[in-house]
Structures are given as structure tokens and as C-alpha cells.
Amino acid sequence: MEVYIPVIWALLIGTAVALYVILDGFDLGIGILFPFAKEEKEQDQMINSIAPFWDGNETWLVLGGGGLLVAFPRAYAVIMPALYLPVILMLLGLIFRGVAFEFRTVAVTSKKYWTFAFAAGSTVAAFCQGLILGGLIQGIKIENGEFAGGTFDFLRPFAIICGLGVVTGYALLGACWLIMKTEGPVAERARKHAKLLLFGVLAFMAVVSLWTPIESPRIRERWFSLPNILFLWPIPAITALAAYLAWRWLEAGREIPPFLAAIVLFMLGYAGLAISVFPYLVPYAMTIWDASAVPSSQLFLLLGTLPLLPIILMYTGFVYYIFRGKLREGEGYH
């Protein structure tokens, strides 16, 4: 039993992060796309499309971060000082965009400043999430179970590439969301943006997919050694298929399928990174068993977490069901 509890917690945290990436990804993407709107009323339509959802989406970030602290405190104690700057900048970006979201709705003379704040906060938060991902994958220097690196160790070319890739990916999710939820010029422009962003996402995925096995012998062995390659080859194949279908659906004028295809692309990329580093929480220095709290503590917290998850999922599904359908120009939820 003691062997499996850390695995269950790892799956819970991984699921929370995946849900955050999907659900908060598209509303961060709306902010990233904000500067490309032609008129203020188009920006109003864009922001109104996420008004019922955006703050609830960040529930999963709290669960992921809180779960890491309580279930894997040793990993938390290493990851936080190593990635302190991008984590703080990410949180400030999320706070900034949250304040801007509410103030922009009621502002009159200062609306353009809150518009800039919303776009800037969204972009900074997305970029910092990519920096955190890249900094974690490229490895953290540890000595005697503690972080032994410098403040800016995370700031390497690979992490910057990951940051730009996350910004591009969130923008793709945001564009596909607008295709699904809006009408008129906003949806038409979003379709054009989605086609360009799809190629950008594929380019970043290709760079990361080549960079990681070249730089890391362990990742290279995980993906290209026998018999692993026989089981893992469907992941890049399905990724290529999802990208092809996304393009076809965008060309055909479909509305919901491109958003679903973008989610599949994100989840395949997420699964690929997880396969590359599992069972390490801090590659390649600390496994989930090395970093875990005492079993009794994990079990106690698990008994409280598991009943809450279905409630959160049902509530989230209920909100998305209630506010289903398209948002037309001039409509809003405020």
C-alpha cells in the first residue's frame, strides 16, 4: 500500500495540472490574442466569452500546487527555490489579469489601460508557466536533498523555447475557443489565427521532441530503445493525425472539432513529457517515492481529497453546461 499511495497522488496532481492547462489555457489564450482585435467591441465579445469560467478554471492550479506541497514536500522544497522567480512572476501575472478583468468591465476613461493589463498579465503568466516546465525538465541541481543551484539556473534556451511554446499553444486554444463560442468578425479572425498558431505549436513540439532526447541519454533510451519504441510510437503518430484533423476542420469551417483537436494536441504533448521523466518529480534526482511525505499523512489527505474531486468536476461541468452555446455581439454575463 505504501508503494501505491505516492503513485495515486502523482496521478491526482498530474490530472489537476492537465485540467488547468486545458481550462485556464484557453482563457489565458484570449488575453494573448487581445491585441489582435480590431475594435473595442470585439475585445468585449472575446472577454465576455470567458466571463463565467475564468476564475473557476484556476481551481486546478491550486489543487496541483497544494497537492505537491502536502504529498511531496521534499520535491516542493527543491522546486520552489529553483523556480522561485518564474513562479512569482506567474502568480503576479494571474493576479494582474484578474484585477484587470474586473476593472475593465466598469472602466470608462481608463479602459485601454486595463485592456493592456489583461493582455500583458495573460502573456506573462503563460510564458512563465513554460519557463517553469522547461526549467524542471532540464534538471535542477541538488546536493544532499536540497537545491544547490543559482537564482537564474532555469533561464536557459530550452526553458525559453518552452515558454514561447506555451504562449503559442494557449493562443491556439484561445482561438479555437473563440471559433466555438463567438460569431462574426471575432470568430472569422480567430479561425485565421488558429491556422497560423497550429503550425507554430507543431514547430515548438518538434523542437522540444528533438531537443530532449539529444540532450538527455535517459530520455533517448526511454523513447528509442527496444521494446519501448514499439509501445510509444502511437503517440507521435496520433499527434500528427490530430494536427491534420485540426487543419481539415479549420478549413472546413467546423466550430467545435478544432477546439477538441487542440486539447488532444496539448494532452499528447503533456503525456510525452510525463513519459520522458516518470517516475521522477525532479529529473533525474528525486522520484515520487523519494519526495513523498510519510504514508499516514498522504493517506489522511487523500481521504479528504478524493470525495471533493467529483464535486468540483460536477460543478465545473454544470457551469459549462449552463453557459453553453454561442455568445453573440453585444451579449455578456456581467
Side-chain angles (χ1 to χ4, degrees):
M1 186 65 178
E2 294 182 2
V3 175
Y4 297 109
I5 293 178
V7 177
I8 295 171
W9 266 110
L11 291 174
L12 284 174
I13 293 172
T15 301
V17 172
L19 287 169
Y20 171 77
V21 166
I22 295 170
L23 298 178
D24 208 37
F26 72 77
D27 70 57
L28 285 169
I30 299 297
I32 294 167
L33 293 172
F34 232 48
F36 299 98
K38 297 295 184 182
E39 300 177 6
E40 186 178 290
K41 65 179 182 180
E42 292 184 5
Q43 293 175 334
D44 293 341
Q45 190 177 0
M46 292 168 68
I47 205 168
N48 283 332
S49 73
I50 59 171
F53 315 108
W54 71 274
D55 48 354
N57 292 338
E58 293 170 2
T59 302
W60 302 105
L61 180 63
V62 176
L63 178 58
L68 182 66
L69 171 62
V70 300
F72 303 105
R74 294 182 182 90
Y76 186 90
V78 169
I79 292 171
M80 281 303 296
L83 302 172
Y84 187 77
L85 281 180
V87 169
I88 290 298
L89 288 174
M90 177 194 73
L91 294 176
L92 289 174
L94 291 174
I95 293 170
F96 208 49
R97 76 185 292 271
V99 173
F101 191 105
E102 299 297 341
F103 274 76
R104 185 186 179 279
T105 306
V106 297
V108 179
T109 58
S110 61
K111 195 168 188 177
K112 62 180 179 180
Y113 302 113
W114 294 116
T115 294
F116 172 78
F118 180 71
S122 301
T123 306
V124 168
F127 182 71
C128 288
Q129 288 175 19
L131 286 180
I132 294 167
L133 174 65
L136 187 60
I137 292 173
Q138 69 192 3
I140 296 172
K141 186 179 179 181
I142 299 177
E143 292 180 4
N144 300 321
E146 298 180 353
F147 174 59
T151 304
F152 297 98
D153 280 5
F154 69 91
L155 197 59
R156 302 178 194 171
F158 179 76
I160 294 172
I161 290 293
C162 288
L164 295 173
V166 169
V167 171
T168 306
Y170 283 176
L172 174 63
L173 283 173
C176 292
W177 173 264
L178 291 174
I179 293 170
M180 182 174 65
K181 293 291 289 183
T182 64
E183 293 180 344
V186 171
E188 294 171 5
R189 189 172 297 107
R191 190 175 298 277
K192 295 177 182 178
H193 289 155
K195 293 177 183 178
L196 296 174
L197 290 165
L198 178 61
F199 284 107
V201 168
L202 292 175
F204 281 114
M205 290 180 74
V207 170
V208 172
S209 298
L210 292 173
W211 195 320
T212 47
I214 290 174
E215 289 291 319
S216 173
R218 296 195 185 203
I219 295 178
R220 184 165 61 248
E221 183 180 358
R222 175 69 57 89
W223 281 92
F224 297 105
S225 63
L226 289 172
N228 293 5
I229 194 172
L230 300 177
F231 297 102
L232 298 179
W233 70 265
I235 293 178
I238 297 172
T239 301
L241 177 61
Y244 171 74
L245 291 175
W247 175 261
R248 287 293 303 270
W249 287 330
L250 287 169
E251 284 284 287
R254 302 290 295 275
E255 295 178 344
I256 298 176
F259 184 65
L260 299 178
I263 291 174
V264 170
L265 283 175
F266 255 90
M267 290 301 95
L268 288 168
Y270 183 68
L273 293 174
I275 290 169
S276 296
V277 301
F278 187 82
Y280 290 92
L281 275 178
V282 183
Y284 289 94
M286 193 176 290
T287 67
I288 58 175
W289 296 282
D290 298 329
S292 63
V294 295
S296 58
S297 176
Q298 285 191 328
L299 183 59
F300 176 76
L301 293 164
L302 193 63
L303 294 176
T305 303
L306 287 178
L308 286 175
L309 280 177
I311 297 174
I312 298 172
L313 287 169
M314 286 189 293
Y315 173 76
T316 302
F318 177 73
V319 170
Y320 278 85
Y321 175 76
I322 288 295
F323 293 99
R324 67 193 182 278
K326 283 186 173 290
L327 182 79
R328 294 174 177 84
E329 185 177 336
E331 295 179 336
Y333 300 114
H334 284 87

